[in-house]
């Protein structure tokens, strides 16, 4: 129940090290007492990767997402470079029910010195399942601003962006993508197709006009651009888009 926990943890640690403390967590009757043991384990500098992996499993059994987040945020950049620990981290995050806690944990990853390509896709997948478009937009926008979106990640981001409800959020992300370096012809083609899906003729025309000013003027892209422009019903907006490519 947690009575005399500090002295008991000292005795266990002297007798069996960190593994003895880990094994004892399952015997604790409430989450607050479990967290006393978890807190103690995080103070052990010599905690091995194997023990840390077991500790991640113990954290995942906590009932409150806020408590899980508090401990996950204590993982250092060095610890997260261990592929197994990294995978366990995202597994716990995906099990959370509260979007705010998920967003905070994704921010913890983005604040590290470097983000692996695999983690970019993990962040995209978690972000795509968030309920609030503003949270999605902020998270995706950070990935773009940090130069982490390239290759297949570009296409994946477009898929999740297309599922967002507000066209303005979509447009803001498309504009960020357009400012990136080394955009391929096929990626420009994807952006053109996304512009054609917007609900407002004015938004379509404005975004297409911005795209044509930055895209390479290949015959394939010009042809695709003109096809997209035909989806504009308003004559004035259509004329503006067509004139921009001439």
């Amino acid at each position: 129940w947690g009575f005399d926990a500090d002295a008991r943890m000292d005795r266990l640690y002297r007798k069996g090290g960190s593994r003895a403390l880990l094994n004892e967590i399952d015997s604790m009757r409430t989450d607050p007492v479990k967290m006393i043991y978890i807190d103690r384990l995080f103070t052990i500098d010599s905690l091995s990767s194997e023990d840390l992996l077991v500790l991640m499993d113990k954290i995942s059994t906590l009932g409150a997402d806020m408590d899980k987040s508090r401990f996950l945020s204590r993982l250092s950049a060095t610890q997260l470079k261990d592929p197994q620990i990294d995978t366990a981290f995202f597994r716990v995050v995906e099990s959370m029910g509260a979007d705010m806690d998920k967003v905070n944990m994704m921010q913890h990853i983005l604040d590290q010195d470097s983000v692996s390509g695999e983690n970019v896709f993990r962040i995209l997948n978690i972000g795509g399942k968030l309920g609030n478009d503003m949270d999605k937009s902020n998270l995706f926008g950070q990935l773009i601003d940090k130069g982490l979106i390239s290759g297949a990640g570009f296409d994946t981001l477009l898929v999740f962006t297309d599922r967002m409800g507000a066209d303005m959020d979509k447009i803001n992300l498309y504009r960020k993508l357009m400012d990136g370096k080394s955009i391929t012809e096929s990626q420009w083609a994807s952006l053109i197709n996304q512009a054609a899906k917007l609900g407002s003729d004015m938004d379509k025309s404005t975004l297409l006009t911005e795209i044509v000013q930055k895209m390479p003027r290949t015959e394939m892209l010009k042809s695709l651009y003109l096809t997209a422009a035909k989806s504009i019903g308003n004559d004035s907006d259509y004329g503006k888009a067509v004139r921009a490519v001439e």
Side-chain angles (χ1 to χ4, degrees):
W1 286 102
F3 295 110
D4 199 28
D6 288 336
R8 191 162 188 272
M9 287 188 293
D10 287 338
R11 291 193 297 271
L12 284 168
Y13 187 67
R14 285 196 302 269
K15 183 177 180 179
S18 57
R19 187 50 64 107
L21 291 174
L22 284 166
N23 291 339
E24 198 67 14
I25 291 175
D26 292 334
S27 303
M28 299 302 101
R29 305 207 175 212
T30 66
D31 278 1
V33 183
K34 288 183 180 181
M35 289 189 287
I36 293 173
Y37 280 72
I38 295 173
D39 266 319
R40 176 63 174 271
L41 283 156
F42 267 105
T43 68
I44 301 174
D45 294 333
S46 60
L47 198 67
S48 68
S49 294
E50 291 77 13
D51 285 347
L52 185 56
L53 197 58
V54 175
L55 182 57
M56 295 291 286
D57 287 336
K58 307 300 181 186
I59 292 171
S60 70
T61 66
L62 297 175
D65 289 341
M66 182 173 61
D67 294 330
K68 295 177 185 177
S69 297
R70 181 168 69 86
F71 289 118
L72 291 181
S73 63
R74 294 175 66 173
L75 292 168
S76 67
T78 300
Q79 289 170 327
L80 287 169
K81 286 180 181 178
D82 183 315
Q84 289 184 302
I85 303 302
D86 188 56
T87 299
F89 174 93
F90 278 94
R91 185 167 59 246
V92 177
V93 173
E94 288 171 352
S95 72
M96 293 177 175
D99 281 356
M100 181 181 69
D101 292 310
K102 290 181 180 179
V103 170
N104 289 339
M105 290 302 94
M106 294 303 94
Q107 189 64 57
H108 179 62
I109 292 294
L110 289 171
D111 288 341
Q112 307 300 323
D113 292 336
S114 61
V115 179
S116 69
E118 186 175 5
N119 279 351
V120 170
F121 282 100
R122 287 169 169 163
I123 294 171
L124 284 171
N125 285 324
I126 289 174
K129 296 174 184 177
L130 297 174
N132 186 291
D133 280 349
M134 183 178 295
D135 288 335
K136 294 179 184 179
S137 182
N138 290 337
L139 187 60
F140 295 157
Q142 285 193 69
L143 288 171
I144 299 170
D145 291 340
K146 289 178 174 288
L148 296 172
I149 298 298
S150 62
F154 191 102
D155 298 324
T156 301
L157 177 56
L158 288 184
V159 169
F160 287 128
T161 302
D162 186 48
R163 295 173 184 171
M164 294 167 66
D167 279 355
M168 185 51 64
D169 290 324
K170 297 179 184 180
I171 292 169
N172 289 336
L173 289 173
Y174 297 151
R175 283 173 172 157
K176 282 180 176 288
L177 287 171
M178 286 160 51
D179 290 334
K181 298 178 181 178
S182 304
I183 303 177
T184 66
E185 187 178 31
S186 64
Q187 289 170 343
W188 281 113
S190 296
L191 283 170
I192 291 170
N193 287 332
Q194 293 305 120
K197 294 180 181 180
L198 296 174
S200 162
D201 284 342
M202 181 180 294
D203 287 338
K204 289 182 184 181
S205 179
T206 299
L207 187 60
L208 283 172
T209 301
E210 292 176 15
I211 288 173
V212 79
Q213 292 170 356
K214 296 182 178 182
M215 74 180 195
R217 297 295 185 95
T218 65
E219 290 304 315
M220 187 275 282
L221 288 178
K222 286 195 290 185
S223 175
L224 187 62
Y225 177 93
L226 290 171
T227 299
K230 290 178 181 177
S231 68
I232 300 173
N234 180 277
D235 288 342
S236 176
D237 292 323
Y238 172 73
K240 177 184 173 182
V242 171
R243 288 192 298 274
V245 79
E246 292 175 347

